[in-house]
Amino acid sequence: MTEPTDVDNDLGLPSRRRFLREGSALLGGAVMAGGLAGSEALAASDNADNLPPNVPEWMKAPGDPMGSQLYGTPSPFEKGVIKNIPDNLPQYLSASGRTPLQDLDGIITPNGLFYERHHGGVPTIDPAQHRLMLHGLVDRPLIFTMDDIRRFPSESHIYFLECSGNPNYKKPYGKTASDLVGLLSCAEWTGVSLKVVLQEAGLQPGAKWIVAEGADAAAMTRSIPIEKCLEDAMLAYSQNGERLRPQQGYPLRLLLPGFEGNMSVKWLRRLRVAAEPTYSREETSKYTDLMPNGSVREFTFYMEAKSIITRPSGGQRLSTPGFHEISGIAWSGHGKVKRVDVSVDDGKSWQEAQLQEPVLTRALTRFRLPWQWDGKPAVIQSRATDVTGYVQPTLAELLAVRGDNYYYHNNAIWPWRIAANGEVSNASA
Amino acid sequence: MTEPTDVDNDLGLPSRRRFLREGSALLGGAVMAGGLAGSEALAASDNADNLPPNVPEWMKAPGDPMGSQLYGTPSPFEKGVIKNIPDNLPQYLSASGRTPLQDLDGIITPNGLFYERHHGGVPTIDPAQHRLMLHGLVDRPLIFTMDDIRRFPSESHIYFLECSGNPNYKKPYGKTASDLVGLLSCAEWTGVSLKVVLQEAGLQPGAKWIVAEGADAAAMTRSIPIEKCLEDAMLAYSQNGERLRPQQGYPLRLLLPGFEGNMSVKWLRRLRVAAEPTYSREETSKYTDLMPNGSVREFTFYMEAKSIITRPSGGQRLSTPGFHEISGIAWSGHGKVKRVDVSVDDGKSWQEAQLQEPVLTRALTRFRLPWQWDGKPAVIQSRATDVTGYVQPTLAELLAVRGDNYYYHNNAIWPWRIAANGEVSNASA
């Protein structure tokens, strides 16, 4: 029998080989412990025509017929993978529900787990009755039905959305990745370029802002600089192929890639073109910040570069020492993620993680780093850098500048502590 | 007041401008008909502080509280957007359910609408009890738990999956895009490179095929050339972020990008490395084709380049003459789609459609073409070309070569007929 090394060479196996060779023994060890050493050990000789021992129950009788779910749902064994919602909120009409980031892979958030943030509950809107009004400093004020909106040329893009209060700065800090930054999701959106719709109405001189209003009970209202409206803003009606979910603005929402999530006004009913912002309730009582010198920071649109390790992360447990992939997500409101560095020694040294292609503008980017855990306590963390060169800061750096009254736009590095027994917890808590 | 043209120039509006100016009047006309001419006409003067007339019912009281769906579902107004399943099949254990392509946008298929094809029903598998056995021509036969599989380095890719019988060649032909090619979906998959797992076991000389077996009641079994297993094959456990749905192989499936869907064996329990293919039931009684000369075409792995217009498509109706975007999807098992051409004159002339970036390998690609419908009967169709230079054929071209007994791999162009009243139907029916 040929030695394994020669076989690998015959097959032309590539550059990852040395890494895998290192990981191999340990992975093999885990496999032996979990599989071969158990009750299902392989027969010494391979008999290709026989089923392996222990044919499971679910092979002995037909399964559920095709079409028993006309709209599919997850396995009953995944019933714990749901939105992360505190059960003791004072009220739920203006509240938020988080995506379980630590249970997800890749960059697409399934629509059922997309984060929620509402100011007056979720309206149930009949799309045949819904209208979008475009008025103010335009040549031709217009009212659109959903059919009108669908008549425009369409475009599709994968973009993240993130709440600007994700998370706040004060203890107690959350225990899981979802607790910390679960007001974050990513989807493929389809809709119309807002620029195209504005061209239809004709912008007048002095058009500097657009005030967007939602058709919810809060009439959620935000002012958007005209530059963003003419850059990459969309009127979105579909999310991951199907029409928007009610919680994400059915039948129509504004989508402002890279801006704080609340500005992507849901259930969009009105766009007023204006010379000045409107200073609505949601841009005065909320979504502004008091600086230590008493000045107010307002219109803080962009979500800055950020990242978090989702696996391993708080609440999880490493079963054994040995090979563990470190995996997480990174994003920036300013464009593409350029690099992500990971430290496994409490910030003393950093290694560049691999980014999963394609790396897309203003989308989540999945990063990964192979890691051999030696079984000793460790602190791991990730740090994103975006195309502008901006580097994700530490919490201490942010707090030093922003002071005690700051609430929004916390894009700090969040380190995880791994105990000797493998338990993972928030190292800042 | 400045003329609109000057305003546009002030704003630096770009290259799409001329197209939009052409479309503009017609779109405006549609908008006028649907909006301004209706009951909701705008007041002559814009009063920024007033809500527009007819504040809808759903703004007058709070909506559903946040978290009323811990796992979200579509709007009740989208209840008709479900999998396309005939209600008169002789049985449903070995049957298929189609994705409603004509109702979807972009390239991602939401998991709830991903197509289904089963041979023995859908098993309900406890992931803690599930095992994958890897044996045959390997140095170290292994049994993996799902935890073992999750320990390997992971990767994520957006790939399409398509059934090889999508559709067959015989009349009656389907009425809608879903009827015709709805055994087609696309998702972001996360899992382990099969090559990495094979390296763990160590391939022996003579390893030329891998026989994959599913843990369903049909023990669905297919033989895969070793070259594909070492190229881009994955063991996938997640789909669009969350774990696989039961209908798509929970908790583990093989994923062979670009190959006919049934080879991406679901509920994967066994990989046997062998010198020869196994000639299983599903590669003899099914998934082979009889040629006119009496020979059999077997192991027809690759799904060839293909496309279809999804909007407008069969069963839809153009409301008025004027601007309509033609939009559809294209794909190829051999790699990226290079171009898509669209004809609006029954194949007499063709125009190159715009492809939505990013164009990904072995993923769906969304294409679009602006079109002014003159209100006369028309036949529209799309034709894909992939990176190999292969061009999607007509049905007549396929039938001429393949004869009466051929069943699988029908990648023909499917033209849609548009009647003077705007109704769209299958032009081949």
Side-chain angles (χ1 to χ4, degrees):
Chain A
M1 188 186 298
T2 313
E3 286 296 304
T5 308
D6 298 331
V7 174
D8 286 0
N9 284 342
D10 287 350
L11 294 167
L13 296 184
S15 56
R16 289 178 85 174
R17 200 177 133 221
R18 198 159 65 90
F19 155 66
L20 288 168
R21 196 154 296 281
E22 287 167 7
S24 179
L26 292 154
L27 271 170
V31 169
M32 294 296 283
L36 288 177
S39 60
E40 297 172 81
L42 274 178
S45 67
D46 169 45
N47 183 338
D49 296 322
N50 287 349
L51 288 174
N54 296 348
V55 171
E57 284 307 313
W58 46 78
M59 292 187 77
K60 294 177 180 170
D64 293 335
M66 187 277 308
S68 46
Q69 291 187 329
L70 294 179
Y71 190 97
T73 57
S75 163
F77 292 97
E78 299 296 322
K79 66 184 175 189
V81 182
I82 51 178
K83 282 179 262 189
N84 170 14
I85 295 172
D87 58 8
N88 58 352
L89 291 176
Q91 52 82 25
Y92 286 78
L93 287 175
S94 179
S96 54
R98 293 158 190 270
T99 294
L101 297 172
Q102 66 278 0
D103 295 318
L104 300 186
D105 296 301
I107 64 166
I108 297 291
T109 309
N111 291 343
L113 297 172
F114 207 92
Y115 87 87
E116 295 184 51
R117 169 75 178 102
H118 317 302
H119 298 73
V122 181
T124 301
I125 298 182
D126 178 352
Q129 301 300 318
H130 187 70
R131 297 290 183 275
L132 171 66
M133 180 167 76
L134 170 55
H135 67 136
L137 298 175
V138 295
D139 295 330
R140 295 174 294 281
L142 295 168
I143 291 180
F144 303 97
T145 65
M146 283 308 299
D147 286 345
D148 295 332
I149 295 288
R150 295 271 301 172
R151 285 287 291 274
F152 279 99
S154 63
E155 55 183 51
S156 303
H157 304 282
I158 296 176
Y159 290 132
F160 78 83
L161 270 183
E162 183 184 14
C163 179
S164 57
N166 187 43
N168 73 32
Y169 296 81
K170 293 201 168 60
K171 294 190 178 190
Y173 298 130
K175 293 182 177 176
T176 68
S178 178
D179 293 342
L180 281 171
V181 297
L183 297 174
L184 168 76
S185 302
C186 184
E188 185 197 34
W189 308 93
T190 298
V192 185
S193 159
L194 178 54
K195 181 165 70 178
V196 169
V197 176
L198 293 176
Q199 286 175 307
E200 191 69 18
L203 288 178
Q204 293 187 343
K208 297 299 180 198
W209 294 80
I210 292 189
V211 182
E213 180 189 271
D216 57 334
M220 172 74 188
T221 299
R222 287 299 313 256
S223 311
I224 303 130
I226 196 75
E227 293 77 11
K228 183 67 174 178
C229 298
L230 298 173
E231 183 197 353
D232 57 0
M234 294 173 70
L235 305 180
Y237 43 74
S238 286
Q239 178 179 0
N240 291 336
E242 66 189 357
R243 296 297 185 277
L244 296 175
R245 296 290 177 84
Q247 293 79 7
Q248 278 75 48
Y250 183 87
L252 188 69
R253 79 177 300 166
L254 190 60
L255 200 92
L256 304 176
F259 273 28
E260 54 182 35
N262 70 83
M263 298 182 70
S264 287
V265 172
K266 294 182 284 194
W267 316 293
L268 185 70
R269 73 183 302 254
R270 189 153 78 120
L271 294 169
R272 181 171 63 82
V273 183
E276 301 290 343
T278 219
Y279 297 100
S280 71
R281 182 185 59 194
E282 286 82 10
E283 44 205 30
T284 50
S285 76
K286 288 187 187 302
Y287 304 123
T288 63
D289 272 305
L290 188 59
M291 296 290 285
N293 66 1
S295 69
V296 166
R297 203 168 159 233
E298 63 185 4
F299 300 127
T300 46
F301 307 127
Y302 284 98
M303 302 308 294
E304 302 285 354
K306 193 166 170 180
S307 69
I308 193 161
I309 294 170
T310 55
R311 190 160 177 267
S313 65
Q316 298 176 343
R317 189 173 173 279
L318 300 186
S319 53
T320 60
F323 178 78
H324 292 271
E325 181 176 78
I326 292 175
S327 172
I329 42 179
W331 63 101
S332 168
H334 286 288
K336 292 185 182 184
V337 170
K338 188 178 170 190
R339 63 182 284 163
V340 177
D341 295 285
V342 171
S343 171
V344 296
D345 58 5
D346 205 4
K348 287 190 272 296
S349 67
W350 297 82
Q351 302 171 70
E352 186 169 355
Q354 185 185 8
L355 306 185
Q356 175 72 59
E357 294 288 341
V359 175
L360 302 172
T361 295
R362 294 167 175 162
L364 293 188
T365 296
R366 174 66 56 174
F367 67 86
R368 301 182 177 100
L369 185 80
W371 179 46
Q372 295 285 346
W373 180 44
D374 60 10
K376 295 176 184 163
V379 172
I380 64 173
Q381 57 201 303
S382 64
R383 185 180 66 194
T385 303
D386 72 15
V387 284
T388 71
Y390 176 95
V391 180
Q392 183 182 4
T394 64
L395 182 60
E397 287 168 343
L398 282 177
L399 290 173
V401 175
R402 296 185 171 177
D404 282 346
N405 291 311
Y406 217 91
Y407 185 87
Y408 297 102
H409 291 271
N410 179 352
N411 65 322
I413 292 169
W414 286 99
W416 301 114
R417 183 182 310 283
I418 297 172
N421 68 358
E423 282 179 6
V424 189
S425 60
N426 187 339
S428 302
Chain B
M1 189 187 296
T2 314
E3 285 297 305
T5 307
D6 298 331
V7 175
D8 286 359
N9 284 342
D10 286 350
L11 293 166
L13 295 184
S15 56
R16 291 178 84 174
R17 202 175 132 222
R18 198 159 66 90
F19 155 65
L20 287 167
R21 195 153 298 279
E22 289 166 6
S24 179
L26 291 153
L27 272 169
V31 169
M32 294 294 283
L36 288 176
S39 62
E40 296 172 82
L42 275 178
S45 67
D46 169 44
N47 182 340
D49 295 321
N50 286 348
L51 288 173
N54 296 347
V55 171
E57 285 306 312
W58 45 79
M59 291 187 77
K60 296 178 180 170
D64 292 335
M66 188 277 309
S68 47
Q69 291 187 329
L70 294 179
Y71 191 97
T73 57
S75 163
F77 292 96
E78 300 295 322
K79 66 185 176 189
V81 182
I82 51 179
K83 283 179 261 187
N84 171 12
I85 296 172
D87 58 8
N88 58 353
L89 292 177
Q91 51 83 24
Y92 286 78
L93 288 174
S94 179
S96 54
R98 293 157 192 271
T99 295
L101 297 172
Q102 66 278 1
D103 295 318
L104 301 186
D105 296 301
I107 64 167
I108 297 291
T109 310
N111 290 342
L113 296 173
F114 207 92
Y115 87 86
E116 295 184 52
R117 169 74 178 103
H118 317 302
H119 298 73
V122 181
T124 300
I125 298 182
D126 178 353
Q129 302 299 317
H130 187 70
R131 297 290 183 275
L132 171 66
M133 180 167 76
L134 171 55
H135 67 136
L137 297 176
V138 295
D139 295 329
R140 294 175 294 281
L142 295 168
I143 291 181
F144 303 98
T145 65
M146 283 306 300
D147 285 345
D148 295 332
I149 295 288
R150 294 271 300 173
R151 285 286 291 273
F152 280 98
S154 63
E155 55 183 51
S156 303
H157 304 282
I158 296 175
Y159 290 131
F160 78 84
L161 269 183
E162 184 185 13
C163 179
S164 57
N166 186 42
N168 73 33
Y169 296 80
K170 295 200 168 58
K171 294 190 179 189
Y173 299 129
K175 294 182 176 177
T176 69
S178 178
D179 292 344
L180 281 171
V181 297
L183 297 174
L184 168 75
S185 301
C186 184
E188 185 197 33
W189 307 93
T190 298
V192 185
S193 159
L194 177 54
K195 179 166 73 177
V196 169
V197 176
L198 294 176
Q199 285 174 308
E200 191 70 17
L203 288 177
Q204 293 186 344
K208 298 296 180 199
W209 294 79
I210 292 189
V211 182
E213 180 188 89
D216 58 334
M220 172 73 188
T221 299
R222 287 299 313 256
S223 310
I224 302 130
I226 195 76
E227 293 78 10
K228 183 67 174 178
C229 298
L230 297 172
E231 183 197 354
D232 58 0
M234 293 172 71
L235 304 180
Y237 43 74
S238 286
Q239 179 179 0
N240 291 336
E242 66 188 359
R243 296 296 184 278
L244 296 174
R245 295 291 176 85
Q247 293 80 6
Q248 278 75 48
Y250 182 87
L252 188 68
R253 79 177 300 165
L254 190 59
L255 199 91
L256 303 177
F259 274 28
E260 54 182 35
N262 71 83
M263 298 182 69
S264 287
V265 173
K266 294 182 284 193
W267 316 293
L268 185 70
R269 73 183 301 254
R270 190 153 77 119
L271 294 168
R272 181 170 62 82
V273 183
E276 302 288 343
T278 221
Y279 297 99
S280 71
R281 180 185 59 191
E282 285 82 11
E283 46 205 26
T284 49
S285 76
K286 288 188 188 302
Y287 305 123
T288 63
D289 271 305
L290 187 59
M291 297 290 285
N293 67 0
S295 70
V296 166
R297 202 168 159 235
E298 62 185 6
F299 299 128
T300 46
F301 306 127
Y302 283 98
M303 303 308 294
E304 303 285 354
K306 194 165 170 181
S307 69
I308 193 160
I309 294 170
T310 56
R311 189 159 179 268
S313 65
Q316 297 176 344
R317 187 172 176 280
L318 300 185
S319 54
T320 60
F323 178 78
H324 292 272
E325 181 177 78
I326 292 176
S327 172
I329 43 178
W331 63 101
S332 168
H334 287 288
K336 293 185 181 183
V337 170
K338 189 178 171 190
R339 63 181 283 163
V340 177
D341 295 285
V342 171
S343 171
V344 296
D345 58 5
D346 205 5
K348 287 190 273 295
S349 67
W350 297 81
Q351 302 171 69
E352 186 169 357
Q354 185 184 9
L355 306 185
Q356 176 72 60
E357 295 288 341
V359 175
L360 302 172
T361 295
R362 294 167 175 161
L364 293 188
T365 296
R366 175 65 57 175
F367 67 86
R368 302 183 177 102
L369 184 81
W371 180 46
Q372 294 285 346
W373 180 46
D374 59 9
K376 296 175 184 165
V379 172
I380 63 173
Q381 56 200 304
S382 64
R383 185 179 69 194
T385 303
D386 71 15
V387 285
T388 71
Y390 177 95
V391 180
Q392 183 182 5
T394 64
L395 182 60
E397 287 168 343
L398 281 177
L399 290 173
V401 174
R402 295 185 172 178
D404 283 346
N405 291 312
Y406 215 90
Y407 185 87
Y408 297 102
H409 291 270
N410 179 352
N411 65 322
I413 292 170
W414 286 99
W416 301 114
R417 183 182 311 284
I418 298 172
N421 69 358
E423 282 178 7
V424 189
S425 61
N426 187 338
S428 303

